[in-house]
């Protein structure tokens, strides 16, 4: 099974990152020196994806511009001997093809994926949510593609989350466990309460889905929060008799759709980047010393006020 297309849904409103995202797409907010969506595209390319379908909305034009070949800009950089500053970005338009499709109304992730249906034939397709960044030796998506090819079925990425956080995610109900990391899915539950959650295996932002997902989404109606959920579409695949597997992807995942997640991912990436790691380490040890002093002062205060 060859998976060469990825849909990147990027038409959401990004309310968790307001006010930064009022006019700027959250996918263009930098993580170190690259917009976060570039990490996702690079992961896709490393996983064998050749075609990216960007689902965009209002104020998202910068994403399409970022991945377009701009010969004038390149020529200007070259005359200043600064072309190498583009890094990997200069190669991306010649390795991968980008297409953008507009989702006119943000009617949910499921609707965004369905909007891209005409760009996909009768083939398995990957879906990469740009909020989730995976850091680890193997690209997150490549791990899923391997399993999809081996099992010849749809695969969703999962990670174990603490029980008190399950209500932020779609969670899987396990039908059968094949290995420590591989499961067959019986059902998916969107944002369950901790008491009702069938497991602590949360769906994270990578999927490889059968082409029947589009038909399943077609007949999925807008739910209680006014959105079409992708999990409802996947549930329909299962109920129609298709096998869906879940794979516990290896690697650290950061939700860069929130300020704190972006900050944590930035520190992690800086620590493993030759250019920034030693300055970042110095800064963190400086902060650590300050924290120790502050904690000492607070302890002293607590001690004197208890006398
Ligand atoms: P989120 O649920 O994170 O929504 O969408 P959001 O609007 O991006 O961000 P917040 O929660 O308001 O801060 C998950 C993914 O689905 C895309 C988003 O762009 C994101 O990649 N999405 C969501 C769409 O493309 N269209 C939609 O209508 C909704």
């Amino acid at each position: 099974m060859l998976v060469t297309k990825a849909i990147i849904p990027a038409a959401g409103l990004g309310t968790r990152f307001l006010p930064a995202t009022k006019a700027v797409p959250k996918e263009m907010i930098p993580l170190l020196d690259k917009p976060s969506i570039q990490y996702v595209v690079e992961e896709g390319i490393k996983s064998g994806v050749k075609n990216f379908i960007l689902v965009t909305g209002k104020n998202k034009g910068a994403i399409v511009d970022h991945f377009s070949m701009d010969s004038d800009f390149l020529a200007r950089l070259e005359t200043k001997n600064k072309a190498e500053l583009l890094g990997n970005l200069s190669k991306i338009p010649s390795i991968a093809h980008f297409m953008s499709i507009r989702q006119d109304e943000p009617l949910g992730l499921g609707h965004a994926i369905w909007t891209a249906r005409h760009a996909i034939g009768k083939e398995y397709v990957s879906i990469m949510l740009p909020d989730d960044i995976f850091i680890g030796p193997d690209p997150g998506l490549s791990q899923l593609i391997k399993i999809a090819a081996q099992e010849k079925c749809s695969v969703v990425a999962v990670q174990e989350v603490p029980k008190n956080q399950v209500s932020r995610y779609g969670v899987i109900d396990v039908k059968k466990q094949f290995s420590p990391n591989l499961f067959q899915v019986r059902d998916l539950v969107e944002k369950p309460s901790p008491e009702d959650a069938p497991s602590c295996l949360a769906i994270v932002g990578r999927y490889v889905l059968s082409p029947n997902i589009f038909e399943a989404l077609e007949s999925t109606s807008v739910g209680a929060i006014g959105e079409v959920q992708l999990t409802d579409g996947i549930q329909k695949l299962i109920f129609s008799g298709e096998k869906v597997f879940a794979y516990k992807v290896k690697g650290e995942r950061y939700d860069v759709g929130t300020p704190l997640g972006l900050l944590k991912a930035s520190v992690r990436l800086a620590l493993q980047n030759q250019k920034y790691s030693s300055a970042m380490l110095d800064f963190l040890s400086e902060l650590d010393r300050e924290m120790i002093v502050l904690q000492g002062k607070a302890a002293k205060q607590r001690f004197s006020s208890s006398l």
Side-chain angles (χ1 to χ4, degrees):
M1 178 197 299
L2 217 57
V3 182
T4 59
K5 292 184 183 168
I7 303 174
I8 303 188
L13 297 176
T15 53
R16 288 168 301 156
F17 228 128
L18 280 170
T21 46
K22 181 173 175 285
V24 174
K26 72 173 164 188
E27 298 79 8
M28 290 303 291
I29 296 179
L31 243 178
L32 283 193
D33 51 3
K34 295 188 280 198
S36 59
I37 195 168
Q38 193 179 325
Y39 291 86
V40 176
V41 164
E42 287 173 3
E43 177 194 323
I45 290 174
K46 282 188 209 142
S47 308
V49 171
K50 303 260 183 301
N51 292 288
F52 290 91
I53 297 101
L54 306 167
V55 181
T56 61
K58 203 173 149 211
N59 291 337
K60 300 279 186 166
I63 302 177
V64 180
D65 289 348
H66 186 72
F67 294 109
S68 306
M69 185 82 87
D70 184 343
S71 333
D72 283 351
F73 182 60
L74 190 62
R76 256 180 278 144
L77 285 180
E78 270 165 357
T79 51
K80 292 177 190 283
N81 284 327
K82 287 188 172 176
E84 81 284 355
L85 293 178
L86 281 179
N88 280 348
L89 183 61
S90 60
K91 292 183 232 133
I92 289 178
S94 57
I95 303 173
H97 177 257
F98 291 83
M99 170 195 277
S100 82
I101 294 180
R102 178 104 174 188
Q103 185 192 20
D104 289 324
E105 259 187 286
L107 289 177
L109 172 59
H111 181 263
I113 302 306
W114 176 78
T115 304
R117 65 199 178 284
H118 296 304
I120 316 292
K122 283 274 159 222
E123 62 200 308
Y124 276 71
V125 61
S126 48
I127 294 171
M128 307 181 81
L129 303 200
D131 279 353
D132 278 339
I133 300 282
F134 289 89
I135 302 177
D138 289 331
L141 182 66
S142 75
Q143 301 175 42
L144 286 202
I145 292 180
K146 238 179 253 165
I147 299 292
Q150 183 188 303
E151 304 295 336
K152 300 191 176 44
C153 69
S154 301
V155 188
V156 300
V158 289
Q159 280 196 336
E160 198 121 25
V161 297
K163 194 151 184 106
N164 61 2
Q165 288 179 19
V166 285
S167 55
R168 298 188 203 160
Y169 298 90
V171 170
I172 62 160
D173 182 3
V174 174
K175 181 169 184 184
K176 194 168 173 192
Q177 180 163 10
F178 291 94
S179 72
N181 296 324
L182 187 62
F183 310 85
Q184 184 172 355
V185 181
R186 176 184 295 120
D187 198 1
L188 307 103
V189 188
E190 193 56 47
K191 301 187 171 62
S193 64
E195 308 79 60
D196 296 336
S199 74
C200 286
L201 292 168
I203 303 168
V204 292
R206 301 290 181 270
Y207 309 75
V208 175
L209 297 179
S210 113
N212 296 331
I213 188 64
F214 299 106
E215 212 182 298
L217 288 169
E218 176 100 39
S219 56
T220 302
S221 47
V222 170
I225 54 165
E227 294 189 346
V228 178
Q229 304 282 0
L230 181 58
T231 44
D232 288 347
I234 302 174
Q235 193 181 46
K236 280 199 177 151
L237 287 184
I238 299 174
F239 291 172
S240 74
E242 280 201 23
K243 254 194 321 189
V244 173
F245 274 52
Y247 184 68
K248 230 196 250 183
V249 275
K250 297 175 198 116
E252 294 166 32
R253 179 186 63 93
Y254 292 90
D255 179 1
V256 299
T258 67
L260 189 61
L262 187 91
L263 208 56
K264 286 183 182 174
S266 307
V267 173
R268 160 55 78 211
L269 285 170
L271 286 174
Q272 62 184 55
N273 183 305
Q274 251 188 350
K275 192 166 154 195
Y276 302 105
S277 61
S278 84
M280 183 51 115
L281 266 176
D282 287 349
F283 175 61
L284 290 178
S285 17
E286 208 177 291
L287 283 184
D288 196 33
R289 277 195 299 276
E290 278 175 28
M291 288 293 292
I292 291 168
V293 173
L294 283 176
Q295 277 164 358
K297 272 189 189 160
K300 241 189 208 166
Q301 258 171 10
R302 275 200 303 275
F303 178 68
S304 54
S305 61
S306 70
L307 289 178

